[in-house]
Amino acid sequence: MTSFYNHLMWFTFLFTSFCFSLLMSFYISYMNQALYVSINMFSLWNNEMSVSFYLDYMSSWFSTIILLISSVIMVYSYFYMAPYSKSVYFLWLTNLFIFSMLMVVNMSNLFFLMLGWDGLGLVSFFLIVYYQNQSSITSGMFTLLMNRLGDSFFLLTIALFFYTYPDLTMFSSNLTDFLSLTLLLLTFMTKSAIYPFSPWLPLAMAAPTPISALVHSSTLVTAGLYLMMRFSYLLYSSYTLMQLLLILSLFTSFYAGMNSIFEKDLKKMIALSTLSHLGFIGMAFSSGLLHLAFFHMLTHALFKSLLFMTMGDIMINLNHSQDIRYLSSGMLYTPMSCMVMYVSILNLLGLPNLSGYFSKDLVLEMMNYSSSSILVMLVLFMNVFFTYYYTYQLFFYSFQPIKVLPYQNFHSPMLGHTLCLFIMAISTLLFGFFFLSHICSLTLFYPVPLVNKSLPLFINLIMFLHLFLNTKLFTSNSPMLNYYFSNMMFLSNLMLTLSSNLYYNLSFMLVKSLEFGVLNYSLNSYPKMMFTHLSSYVLNLSTLNPMKSVLFMSSFMVLLSVLI
Amino acid sequence: MGGATSQYFGTFSESWSNPNVVPSVLDKPKHDPLFGFQNERETREIKASQDDLYWAKIPASRRDYCADHLIEFQRCRKQNYPFLSKCEHIKHEWDHCQNEDTILRMKEFERERRLLKREERKRLREEAVIQ
């Protein structure tokens, strides 16, 4: 069992780093400067390979948010994972993930950025398969394959960059041809689950709830969008790609919104909400609202991770039942967690003077001044309508008549656990109001007509009244509709079949031709003994200690990538 | 501009049915800025010099006709950081300048649209005469 002191130690370290990062962010915003640190590792054939960090307002503010969420998760995960964590394996995986994420955020050299990027995908796989059951392994494999697809696009992009600019430094590489930009965009779309690369995100909810709060709401999924913003100096040169991104992002939001209405699994519903917001951020970015998209990414990270944490609290009391229809029972036993959940829900709804209002509603207003047509605005407001619908469903399900499950496990709240939630709740409440002018100092806020200004609030009120007066909450009588939307429009089935069939067929072909064919014949001597000895060593390593195998595999991959 | 607040349905439907009369968002206007004006138009100047813009580290996207207000805002921000509420009145001046600039650009867009419509009407009249 991991001791509380391990978690507390990591919390202290991460929270101290958060405080330092916050001061750094204030300083960089005040000075309006960026810090570029480059350490030359080695030179190879006239090309210098250097570890370079670029600390500007974007990387410093995002690092601050990541460190805040990570530090809170450290304490939260102790209380949540206490019955399940038998070693420091979980702790090390989480820290490895945080390290990879900070690498992606702060690195300027494309090669080392790729290491962090690959690390994110690899570590998230190990975190998803933590529970080691059938569903988590299926989800983990699918997530890994999706992430590897993105990694392959990234490798191709780096190859193209290296051919023209061997430096591989972010801002010196000025490749604006259509192929490079398309590959770059595809890379970021896979990680950020923009359609058609969306299905992995709801499937990744097989991971433990602290991991969903850290990884699948605020860090891993926003890594793609963050790098999109970093590479905006290249991506904005292609109007066609930005139009394509706008359409795909809008459809991602629409897709997630439609599916979340029919979803009855709590975690999947919040995952679809995250997907909807990722589409929203992608749409804002593609319309030219770079700073507002970045600001919304930060506020969304805060209130979504808070929502996951409070959901985890409620789910513990329901014996880990994830059905939304039992939410009211959870509220009976954890009213405080529910109250904190309402803080997150109110931010999702974008009520005035909360963080969600300053980020989301501002984007909705500024979209009036984009060069998009009325159709974009209609789809956008339809997505907003869906957001209000599923958010109010969460709200009203918590007030339904109590449905008590048998074998309920009452979990008394502890001081440390409560403090985590309060820290996050206060950060969520105050961040938007106090930090908008720090982060978006050069953003233009045009005045909009009263109709446009009040439309989101009007839709909000209509939705509230509709669900308040309608005692029978939304259920469709059409089994066809339910079947179609509950299965995410069968996109995950399609992609699983396509990717896994190809993968399995290829691997069977390789096994038949190599292992049972050529290799079997040629290695039937001393090299065979050497290989069997090596394979048995790897097998022993993997069965002895999971952490050792993780370290071995990671170092092996690093070595491979360096050699390549 | 094609912004949704200017003409919600007009430019959207016309961009499909009659694209000749919808000004391009990406290209420059096709008509002479002085066409239809008997006297010279009031010329707009960027009041901030290139040196001022450079030393104030104003990004390229913000080096427009309101950059002088932005420089003042940045100066106030630097002097009063982190109490940024003290600079609200200067920010409002910059916002007001940007708002007027937006209205001017919307008017230019509308002028271009009406000139394109006028050309279209002339072309249709000539085609009708030929037939």
Side-chain angles (χ1 to χ4, degrees), chain A residues 257 260-261 269 273 276-277 280 345-352 356-357 360-361 364 380-396 453-464 466-467:
Chain A
S260 63
I261 287 172
M269 190 192 263
S273 167
S276 176
H277 278 264
F280 186 82
I345 283 175
L346 292 175
N347 274 292
L348 258 174
L349 293 168
L351 284 195
Y357 175 74
K360 193 169 166 206
D361 277 39
L364 290 174
L380 180 61
F381 275 97
M382 204 185 313
N383 296 335
V384 167
F385 169 84
F386 288 144
T387 306
Y388 294 153
Y389 205 105
Y390 61 70
T391 313
Y392 274 123
Q393 273 201 304
L394 268 175
F395 188 71
F396 283 109
K453 182 88 184 173
S454 52
L455 193 58
L457 284 172
F458 180 69
I459 298 173
N460 210 340
L461 190 65
I462 295 288
M463 194 51 57
F464 175 80
H466 168 67
L467 287 174

Tab-separated table of all heavy atoms in Angstrom, chain A residues 257 260-261 269 273 276-277 280 345-352 356-357 360-361 364 380-396 453-464 466-467:
chain	number	residue	atom	x	y	z
A	257	GLY	N	-22.332	16.391	-28.316
A	257	GLY	CA	-23.560	16.863	-27.686
A	257	GLY	C	-24.722	15.905	-27.906
A	257	GLY	O	-25.437	15.550	-26.965
A	260	SER	N	-24.215	12.722	-25.888
A	260	SER	CA	-24.269	12.862	-24.433
A	260	SER	C	-25.700	12.938	-23.926
A	260	SER	O	-25.973	12.574	-22.784
A	260	SER	CB	-23.502	14.110	-23.995
A	260	SER	OG	-24.123	15.239	-24.525
A	261	ILE	N	-26.635	13.381	-24.781
A	261	ILE	CA	-28.039	13.449	-24.351
A	261	ILE	C	-28.555	12.044	-24.068
A	261	ILE	O	-29.339	11.822	-23.147
A	261	ILE	CB	-28.884	14.146	-25.436
A	261	ILE	CG1	-28.573	15.643	-25.426
A	261	ILE	CG2	-30.363	13.928	-25.212
A	261	ILE	CD1	-29.208	16.387	-26.562
A	269	MET	N	-20.517	10.553	-19.982
A	269	MET	CA	-21.212	11.822	-20.236
A	269	MET	C	-20.241	12.983	-20.060
A	269	MET	O	-20.205	13.920	-20.863
A	269	MET	CB	-22.385	11.971	-19.272
A	269	MET	CG	-23.280	13.133	-19.624
A	269	MET	SD	-24.401	13.500	-18.331
A	269	MET	CE	-25.826	12.651	-18.879
A	273	SER	N	-18.782	15.618	-22.740
A	273	SER	CA	-18.772	17.058	-22.479
A	273	SER	C	-17.389	17.637	-22.770
A	273	SER	O	-17.255	18.709	-23.381
A	273	SER	CB	-19.166	17.304	-21.024
A	273	SER	OG	-18.888	18.613	-20.656
A	276	SER	N	-16.981	17.878	-26.429
A	276	SER	CA	-17.714	19.032	-26.943
A	276	SER	C	-16.903	20.319	-26.761
A	276	SER	O	-16.813	21.164	-27.663
A	276	SER	CB	-19.053	19.127	-26.204
A	276	SER	OG	-19.751	20.263	-26.593
A	277	HIS	N	-16.297	20.444	-25.600
A	277	HIS	CA	-15.499	21.649	-25.338
A	277	HIS	C	-14.218	21.674	-26.159
A	277	HIS	O	-13.752	22.750	-26.551
A	277	HIS	CB	-15.195	21.753	-23.836
A	277	HIS	CG	-16.303	22.342	-23.057
A	277	HIS	ND1	-16.370	23.676	-22.705
A	277	HIS	CD2	-17.445	21.792	-22.581
A	277	HIS	CE1	-17.486	23.909	-22.037
A	277	HIS	NE2	-18.160	22.779	-21.954
A	280	PHE	N	-15.179	22.990	-29.335
A	280	PHE	CA	-15.426	24.422	-29.173
A	280	PHE	C	-14.116	25.198	-29.224
A	280	PHE	O	-14.006	26.240	-29.904
A	280	PHE	CB	-16.142	24.633	-27.829
A	280	PHE	CG	-16.594	26.040	-27.582
A	280	PHE	CD1	-17.770	26.518	-28.124
A	280	PHE	CD2	-15.839	26.901	-26.807
A	280	PHE	CE1	-18.194	27.813	-27.903
A	280	PHE	CE2	-16.244	28.206	-26.581
A	280	PHE	CZ	-17.427	28.651	-27.122
A	345	ILE	N	-20.643	22.744	-12.491
A	345	ILE	CA	-21.759	22.757	-13.442
A	345	ILE	C	-22.103	24.191	-13.828
A	345	ILE	O	-22.373	24.490	-14.996
A	345	ILE	CB	-22.972	22.012	-12.838
A	345	ILE	CG1	-22.741	20.498	-12.932
A	345	ILE	CG2	-24.251	22.396	-13.519
A	345	ILE	CD1	-23.801	19.680	-12.261
A	346	LEU	N	-22.092	25.094	-12.852
A	346	LEU	CA	-22.428	26.491	-13.141
A	346	LEU	C	-21.395	27.117	-14.080
A	346	LEU	O	-21.724	27.950	-14.930
A	346	LEU	CB	-22.521	27.300	-11.849
A	346	LEU	CG	-23.695	26.938	-10.939
A	346	LEU	CD1	-23.613	27.719	-9.628
A	346	LEU	CD2	-25.029	27.234	-11.612
A	347	ASN	N	-20.135	26.666	-13.932
A	347	ASN	CA	-19.108	27.142	-14.867
A	347	ASN	C	-19.359	26.612	-16.267
A	347	ASN	O	-19.189	27.327	-17.258
A	347	ASN	CB	-17.722	26.681	-14.403
A	347	ASN	CG	-17.131	27.628	-13.411
A	347	ASN	OD1	-16.800	28.752	-13.746
A	347	ASN	ND2	-17.021	27.207	-12.178
A	348	LEU	N	-19.774	25.343	-16.346
A	348	LEU	CA	-20.097	24.738	-17.642
A	348	LEU	C	-21.223	25.498	-18.326
A	348	LEU	O	-21.230	25.684	-19.543
A	348	LEU	CB	-20.549	23.283	-17.446
A	348	LEU	CG	-19.558	22.174	-17.738
A	348	LEU	CD1	-20.150	20.838	-17.350
A	348	LEU	CD2	-19.170	22.146	-19.188
A	349	LEU	N	-22.204	25.921	-17.495
A	349	LEU	CA	-23.347	26.632	-18.053
A	349	LEU	C	-22.987	28.056	-18.463
A	349	LEU	O	-23.724	28.682	-19.215
A	349	LEU	CB	-24.486	26.674	-17.026
A	349	LEU	CG	-25.114	25.331	-16.692
A	349	LEU	CD1	-26.012	25.469	-15.477
A	349	LEU	CD2	-25.914	24.814	-17.863
A	350	GLY	N	-21.877	28.555	-17.961
A	350	GLY	CA	-21.464	29.908	-18.320
A	350	GLY	C	-22.302	30.981	-17.657
A	350	GLY	O	-22.640	31.986	-18.286
A	351	LEU	N	-22.605	30.791	-16.381
A	351	LEU	CA	-23.357	31.820	-15.670
A	351	LEU	C	-22.474	33.038	-15.458
A	351	LEU	O	-21.269	32.904	-15.265
A	351	LEU	CB	-23.853	31.287	-14.329
A	351	LEU	CG	-25.057	30.350	-14.389
A	351	LEU	CD1	-25.674	30.195	-13.009
A	351	LEU	CD2	-26.121	30.869	-15.336
A	352	PRO	N	-23.087	34.251	-15.498
A	352	PRO	CA	-22.261	35.473	-15.437
A	352	PRO	C	-21.340	35.526	-14.226
A	352	PRO	O	-21.679	35.078	-13.145
A	352	PRO	CB	-23.309	36.588	-15.373
A	352	PRO	CG	-24.473	36.035	-16.078
A	352	PRO	CD	-24.492	34.575	-15.759
A	356	GLY	N	-16.402	30.165	-16.586
A	356	GLY	CA	-16.947	29.715	-17.865
A	356	GLY	C	-17.546	30.860	-18.660
A	356	GLY	O	-17.471	30.894	-19.883
A	357	TYR	N	-18.127	31.831	-17.968
A	357	TYR	CA	-18.727	32.985	-18.642
A	357	TYR	C	-17.648	33.809	-19.318
A	357	TYR	O	-17.779	34.222	-20.473
A	357	TYR	CB	-19.480	33.824	-17.606
A	357	TYR	CG	-20.051	35.110	-18.148
A	357	TYR	CD1	-21.171	35.097	-18.972
A	357	TYR	CD2	-19.477	36.330	-17.839
A	357	TYR	CE1	-21.708	36.254	-19.466
A	357	TYR	CE2	-20.015	37.508	-18.330
A	357	TYR	CZ	-21.133	37.470	-19.137
A	357	TYR	OH	-21.648	38.630	-19.634
A	360	LYS	N	-16.116	31.149	-22.250
A	360	LYS	CA	-16.996	30.583	-23.285
A	360	LYS	C	-17.896	31.633	-23.925
A	360	LYS	O	-18.009	31.711	-25.153
A	360	LYS	CB	-17.841	29.481	-22.654
A	360	LYS	CG	-18.543	28.631	-23.646
A	360	LYS	CD	-19.134	27.433	-22.966
A	360	LYS	CE	-20.113	26.802	-23.917
A	360	LYS	NZ	-21.139	26.060	-23.255
A	361	ASP	N	-18.545	32.443	-23.082
A	361	ASP	CA	-19.484	33.420	-23.646
A	361	ASP	C	-18.768	34.487	-24.451
A	361	ASP	O	-19.327	35.021	-25.412
A	361	ASP	CB	-20.310	34.054	-22.514
A	361	ASP	CG	-21.480	33.165	-22.136
A	361	ASP	OD1	-21.306	31.940	-22.103
A	361	ASP	OD2	-22.584	33.683	-21.907
A	364	LEU	N	-18.385	33.097	-27.822
A	364	LEU	CA	-19.668	33.158	-28.541
A	364	LEU	C	-19.931	34.562	-29.075
A	364	LEU	O	-20.437	34.731	-30.184
A	364	LEU	CB	-20.813	32.733	-27.607
A	364	LEU	CG	-20.858	31.266	-27.214
A	364	LEU	CD1	-21.937	31.024	-26.171
A	364	LEU	CD2	-21.105	30.379	-28.413
A	380	LEU	N	-23.226	26.403	-33.962
A	380	LEU	CA	-22.570	26.743	-32.697
A	380	LEU	C	-23.584	26.861	-31.563
A	380	LEU	O	-23.405	26.306	-30.473
A	380	LEU	CB	-21.806	28.061	-32.882
A	380	LEU	CG	-21.038	28.620	-31.701
A	380	LEU	CD1	-19.974	27.655	-31.263
A	380	LEU	CD2	-20.396	29.949	-32.072
A	381	PHE	N	-24.689	27.556	-31.842
A	381	PHE	CA	-25.692	27.716	-30.790
A	381	PHE	C	-26.442	26.417	-30.517
A	381	PHE	O	-26.919	26.176	-29.405
A	381	PHE	CB	-26.635	28.875	-31.107
A	381	PHE	CG	-26.065	30.190	-30.662
A	381	PHE	CD1	-25.391	31.004	-31.552
A	381	PHE	CD2	-26.136	30.589	-29.337
A	381	PHE	CE1	-24.818	32.192	-31.128
A	381	PHE	CE2	-25.563	31.771	-28.901
A	381	PHE	CZ	-24.902	32.579	-29.804
A	382	MET	N	-26.514	25.542	-31.528
A	382	MET	CA	-27.104	24.224	-31.283
A	382	MET	C	-26.213	23.431	-30.322
A	382	MET	O	-26.698	22.737	-29.423
A	382	MET	CB	-27.231	23.465	-32.609
A	382	MET	CG	-28.312	22.405	-32.554
A	382	MET	SD	-28.433	21.376	-34.002
A	382	MET	CE	-28.386	22.489	-35.330
A	383	ASN	N	-24.890	23.558	-30.498
A	383	ASN	CA	-23.957	22.883	-29.591
A	383	ASN	C	-24.076	23.455	-28.177
A	383	ASN	O	-23.997	22.715	-27.193
A	383	ASN	CB	-22.519	23.033	-30.095
A	383	ASN	CG	-22.316	22.356	-31.427
A	383	ASN	OD1	-23.035	21.435	-31.775
A	383	ASN	ND2	-21.339	22.831	-32.176
A	384	VAL	N	-24.274	24.759	-28.092
A	384	VAL	CA	-24.468	25.402	-26.786
A	384	VAL	C	-25.745	24.866	-26.141
A	384	VAL	O	-25.781	24.569	-24.944
A	384	VAL	CB	-24.527	26.938	-26.957
A	384	VAL	CG1	-25.026	27.613	-25.713
A	384	VAL	CG2	-23.164	27.474	-27.334
A	385	PHE	N	-26.781	24.697	-26.961
A	385	PHE	CA	-28.050	24.130	-26.503
A	385	PHE	C	-27.824	22.732	-25.919
A	385	PHE	O	-28.324	22.396	-24.844
A	385	PHE	CB	-29.015	24.099	-27.692
A	385	PHE	CG	-30.273	23.327	-27.473
A	385	PHE	CD1	-31.357	23.917	-26.859
A	385	PHE	CD2	-30.380	22.018	-27.889
A	385	PHE	CE1	-32.530	23.208	-26.653
A	385	PHE	CE2	-31.542	21.297	-27.682
A	385	PHE	CZ	-32.622	21.894	-27.067
A	386	PHE	N	-27.038	21.903	-26.635
A	386	PHE	CA	-26.756	20.545	-26.146
A	386	PHE	C	-26.000	20.599	-24.814
A	386	PHE	O	-26.267	19.809	-23.914
A	386	PHE	CB	-25.926	19.754	-27.158
A	386	PHE	CG	-26.671	19.346	-28.385
A	386	PHE	CD1	-26.043	19.327	-29.622
A	386	PHE	CD2	-28.001	18.979	-28.328
A	386	PHE	CE1	-26.720	18.960	-30.767
A	386	PHE	CE2	-28.689	18.608	-29.465
A	386	PHE	CZ	-28.048	18.601	-30.688
A	387	THR	N	-25.034	21.535	-24.739
A	387	THR	CA	-24.249	21.670	-23.497
A	387	THR	C	-25.177	21.943	-22.332
A	387	THR	O	-25.066	21.311	-21.275
A	387	THR	CB	-23.235	22.818	-23.622
A	387	THR	OG1	-22.452	22.623	-24.774
A	387	THR	CG2	-22.354	22.911	-22.407
A	388	TYR	N	-26.098	22.907	-22.529
A	388	TYR	CA	-27.021	23.223	-21.448
A	388	TYR	C	-27.884	22.022	-21.134
A	388	TYR	O	-28.168	21.733	-19.973
A	388	TYR	CB	-27.907	24.415	-21.827
A	388	TYR	CG	-27.173	25.714	-21.971
A	388	TYR	CD1	-27.654	26.708	-22.805
A	388	TYR	CD2	-26.000	25.974	-21.265
A	388	TYR	CE1	-26.991	27.913	-22.936
A	388	TYR	CE2	-25.336	27.169	-21.396
A	388	TYR	CZ	-25.840	28.135	-22.233
A	388	TYR	OH	-25.179	29.325	-22.370
A	389	TYR	N	-28.292	21.265	-22.140
A	389	TYR	CA	-29.196	20.128	-21.939
A	389	TYR	C	-28.557	19.081	-21.043
A	389	TYR	O	-29.130	18.683	-20.017
A	389	TYR	CB	-29.578	19.532	-23.294
A	389	TYR	CG	-30.892	18.816	-23.270
A	389	TYR	CD1	-32.019	19.390	-23.843
A	389	TYR	CD2	-31.031	17.581	-22.660
A	389	TYR	CE1	-33.234	18.758	-23.805
A	389	TYR	CE2	-32.246	16.954	-22.606
A	389	TYR	CZ	-33.342	17.536	-23.183
A	389	TYR	OH	-34.555	16.917	-23.130
A	390	TYR	N	-27.340	18.605	-21.421
A	390	TYR	CA	-26.778	17.521	-20.608
A	390	TYR	C	-26.283	18.022	-19.259
A	390	TYR	O	-26.277	17.278	-18.278
A	390	TYR	CB	-25.683	16.735	-21.362
A	390	TYR	CG	-24.450	17.478	-21.799
A	390	TYR	CD1	-23.510	17.936	-20.878
A	390	TYR	CD2	-24.192	17.710	-23.151
A	390	TYR	CE1	-22.388	18.610	-21.285
A	390	TYR	CE2	-23.068	18.381	-23.563
A	390	TYR	CZ	-22.170	18.837	-22.627
A	390	TYR	OH	-21.040	19.512	-23.040
A	391	THR	N	-25.896	19.297	-19.174
A	391	THR	CA	-25.461	19.835	-17.880
A	391	THR	C	-26.651	19.931	-16.930
A	391	THR	O	-26.547	19.556	-15.755
A	391	THR	CB	-24.820	21.220	-18.061
A	391	THR	OG1	-23.905	21.160	-19.138
A	391	THR	CG2	-24.100	21.653	-16.817
A	392	TYR	N	-27.790	20.399	-17.440
A	392	TYR	CA	-28.965	20.462	-16.589
A	392	TYR	C	-29.483	19.071	-16.238
A	392	TYR	O	-30.074	18.876	-15.179
A	392	TYR	CB	-30.069	21.303	-17.229
A	392	TYR	CG	-29.928	22.772	-16.928
A	392	TYR	CD1	-29.839	23.711	-17.941
A	392	TYR	CD2	-29.870	23.225	-15.614
A	392	TYR	CE1	-29.702	25.049	-17.661
A	392	TYR	CE2	-29.728	24.565	-15.324
A	392	TYR	CZ	-29.646	25.471	-16.351
A	392	TYR	OH	-29.494	26.802	-16.071
A	393	GLN	N	-29.238	18.093	-17.129
A	393	GLN	CA	-29.606	16.709	-16.783
A	393	GLN	C	-28.864	16.257	-15.540
A	393	GLN	O	-29.448	15.646	-14.638
A	393	GLN	CB	-29.285	15.780	-17.952
A	393	GLN	CG	-30.388	15.683	-18.959
A	393	GLN	CD	-30.281	14.439	-19.796
A	393	GLN	OE1	-29.266	14.206	-20.426
A	393	GLN	NE2	-31.310	13.633	-19.824
A	394	LEU	N	-27.555	16.574	-15.514
A	394	LEU	CA	-26.746	16.240	-14.322
A	394	LEU	C	-27.343	16.904	-13.091
A	394	LEU	O	-27.479	16.291	-12.036
A	394	LEU	CB	-25.318	16.770	-14.490
A	394	LEU	CG	-24.272	15.849	-15.108
A	394	LEU	CD1	-22.977	16.628	-15.274
A	394	LEU	CD2	-24.041	14.639	-14.237
A	395	PHE	N	-27.694	18.167	-13.247
A	395	PHE	CA	-28.215	18.969	-12.143
A	395	PHE	C	-29.527	18.395	-11.627
A	395	PHE	O	-29.713	18.182	-10.423
A	395	PHE	CB	-28.398	20.398	-12.654
A	395	PHE	CG	-28.740	21.411	-11.609
A	395	PHE	CD1	-27.793	21.808	-10.682
A	395	PHE	CD2	-29.992	21.970	-11.550
A	395	PHE	CE1	-28.098	22.745	-9.707
A	395	PHE	CE2	-30.294	22.908	-10.581
A	395	PHE	CZ	-29.359	23.299	-9.664
A	396	PHE	N	-30.446	18.085	-12.560
A	396	PHE	CA	-31.764	17.644	-12.125
A	396	PHE	C	-31.798	16.192	-11.669
A	396	PHE	O	-32.605	15.830	-10.823
A	396	PHE	CB	-32.809	17.906	-13.222
A	396	PHE	CG	-33.215	19.340	-13.295
A	396	PHE	CD1	-32.822	20.130	-14.360
A	396	PHE	CD2	-33.948	19.931	-12.291
A	396	PHE	CE1	-33.156	21.468	-14.420
A	396	PHE	CE2	-34.298	21.263	-12.335
A	396	PHE	CZ	-33.899	22.041	-13.412
A	453	LYS	N	-25.976	39.190	-27.289
A	453	LYS	CA	-25.408	39.111	-25.942
A	453	LYS	C	-26.274	38.235	-25.045
A	453	LYS	O	-25.768	37.444	-24.243
A	453	LYS	CB	-25.323	40.538	-25.358
A	453	LYS	CG	-24.707	40.621	-23.989
A	453	LYS	CD	-23.216	40.772	-24.065
A	453	LYS	CE	-22.605	40.757	-22.678
A	453	LYS	NZ	-21.161	40.739	-22.727
A	454	SER	N	-27.580	38.398	-25.172
A	454	SER	CA	-28.476	37.698	-24.236
A	454	SER	C	-28.939	36.344	-24.750
A	454	SER	O	-29.581	35.601	-24.013
A	454	SER	CB	-29.682	38.578	-23.935
A	454	SER	OG	-30.275	39.000	-25.127
A	455	LEU	N	-28.592	35.992	-25.985
A	455	LEU	CA	-29.055	34.707	-26.522
A	455	LEU	C	-28.594	33.487	-25.715
A	455	LEU	O	-29.429	32.627	-25.390
A	455	LEU	CB	-28.622	34.580	-27.987
A	455	LEU	CG	-29.263	33.469	-28.818
A	455	LEU	CD1	-30.767	33.611	-28.837
A	455	LEU	CD2	-28.716	33.496	-30.245
A	456	PRO	N	-27.315	33.385	-25.317
A	456	PRO	CA	-26.932	32.212	-24.506
A	456	PRO	C	-27.698	32.135	-23.182
A	456	PRO	O	-28.120	31.054	-22.764
A	456	PRO	CB	-25.441	32.406	-24.255
A	456	PRO	CG	-24.986	33.314	-25.320
A	456	PRO	CD	-26.135	34.196	-25.634
A	457	LEU	N	-27.886	33.302	-22.538
A	457	LEU	CA	-28.606	33.302	-21.256
A	457	LEU	C	-30.067	32.936	-21.458
A	457	LEU	O	-30.664	32.244	-20.623
A	457	LEU	CB	-28.503	34.680	-20.593
A	457	LEU	CG	-27.167	34.986	-19.944
A	457	LEU	CD1	-27.120	36.446	-19.499
A	457	LEU	CD2	-26.901	34.098	-18.742
A	458	PHE	N	-30.618	33.365	-22.582
A	458	PHE	CA	-32.010	33.069	-22.894
A	458	PHE	C	-32.194	31.566	-23.106
A	458	PHE	O	-33.125	30.955	-22.554
A	458	PHE	CB	-32.415	33.870	-24.145
A	458	PHE	CG	-33.828	33.655	-24.571
A	458	PHE	CD1	-34.885	34.128	-23.804
A	458	PHE	CD2	-34.122	32.979	-25.745
A	458	PHE	CE1	-36.196	33.927	-24.193
A	458	PHE	CE2	-35.429	32.764	-26.136
A	458	PHE	CZ	-36.466	33.236	-25.366
A	459	ILE	N	-31.277	30.960	-23.876
A	459	ILE	CA	-31.332	29.512	-24.115
A	459	ILE	C	-31.174	28.764	-22.785
A	459	ILE	O	-31.853	27.758	-22.518
A	459	ILE	CB	-30.239	29.052	-25.106
A	459	ILE	CG1	-30.429	29.708	-26.463
A	459	ILE	CG2	-30.249	27.542	-25.282
A	459	ILE	CD1	-29.297	29.428	-27.434
A	460	ASN	N	-30.293	29.292	-21.944
A	460	ASN	CA	-30.050	28.722	-20.619
A	460	ASN	C	-31.344	28.676	-19.801
A	460	ASN	O	-31.712	27.652	-19.211
A	460	ASN	CB	-29.032	29.625	-19.911
A	460	ASN	CG	-28.170	28.889	-18.934
A	460	ASN	OD1	-28.502	27.802	-18.483
A	460	ASN	ND2	-27.051	29.472	-18.585
A	461	LEU	N	-32.037	29.812	-19.796
A	461	LEU	CA	-33.278	29.924	-19.018
A	461	LEU	C	-34.352	28.991	-19.560
A	461	LEU	O	-35.044	28.307	-18.794
A	461	LEU	CB	-33.752	31.382	-19.066
A	461	LEU	CG	-34.885	31.770	-18.141
A	461	LEU	CD1	-34.448	31.647	-16.694
A	461	LEU	CD2	-35.337	33.208	-18.422
A	462	ILE	N	-34.463	28.943	-20.901
A	462	ILE	CA	-35.470	28.078	-21.530
A	462	ILE	C	-35.215	26.614	-21.144
A	462	ILE	O	-36.135	25.874	-20.791
A	462	ILE	CB	-35.436	28.233	-23.068
A	462	ILE	CG1	-35.850	29.629	-23.482
A	462	ILE	CG2	-36.268	27.178	-23.767
A	462	ILE	CD1	-37.315	29.925	-23.307
A	463	MET	N	-33.948	26.226	-21.203
A	463	MET	CA	-33.583	24.842	-20.898
A	463	MET	C	-33.883	24.515	-19.442
A	463	MET	O	-34.396	23.437	-19.119
A	463	MET	CB	-32.098	24.646	-21.196
A	463	MET	CG	-31.646	23.222	-21.251
A	463	MET	SD	-32.651	22.233	-22.300
A	463	MET	CE	-32.512	23.115	-23.809
A	464	PHE	N	-33.546	25.447	-18.542
A	464	PHE	CA	-33.798	25.247	-17.118
A	464	PHE	C	-35.294	25.063	-16.867
A	464	PHE	O	-35.706	24.118	-16.183
A	464	PHE	CB	-33.266	26.450	-16.331
A	464	PHE	CG	-33.573	26.398	-14.865
A	464	PHE	CD1	-32.814	25.620	-14.016
A	464	PHE	CD2	-34.630	27.116	-14.339
A	464	PHE	CE1	-33.091	25.558	-12.659
A	464	PHE	CE2	-34.920	27.059	-12.982
A	464	PHE	CZ	-34.157	26.277	-12.146
A	466	HIS	N	-37.639	24.230	-19.014
A	466	HIS	CA	-38.137	23.013	-19.671
A	466	HIS	C	-37.888	21.776	-18.810
A	466	HIS	O	-38.789	20.966	-18.582
A	466	HIS	CB	-37.451	22.862	-21.035
A	466	HIS	CG	-37.659	21.524	-21.666
A	466	HIS	ND1	-38.892	21.092	-22.117
A	466	HIS	CD2	-36.800	20.508	-21.911
A	466	HIS	CE1	-38.767	19.874	-22.611
A	466	HIS	NE2	-37.519	19.496	-22.488
A	467	LEU	N	-36.671	21.667	-18.279
A	467	LEU	CA	-36.347	20.478	-17.479
A	467	LEU	C	-36.933	20.565	-16.079
A	467	LEU	O	-37.200	19.553	-15.446
A	467	LEU	CB	-34.833	20.273	-17.425
A	467	LEU	CG	-34.209	19.760	-18.729
A	467	LEU	CD1	-32.698	19.723	-18.625
A	467	LEU	CD2	-34.705	18.377	-19.096
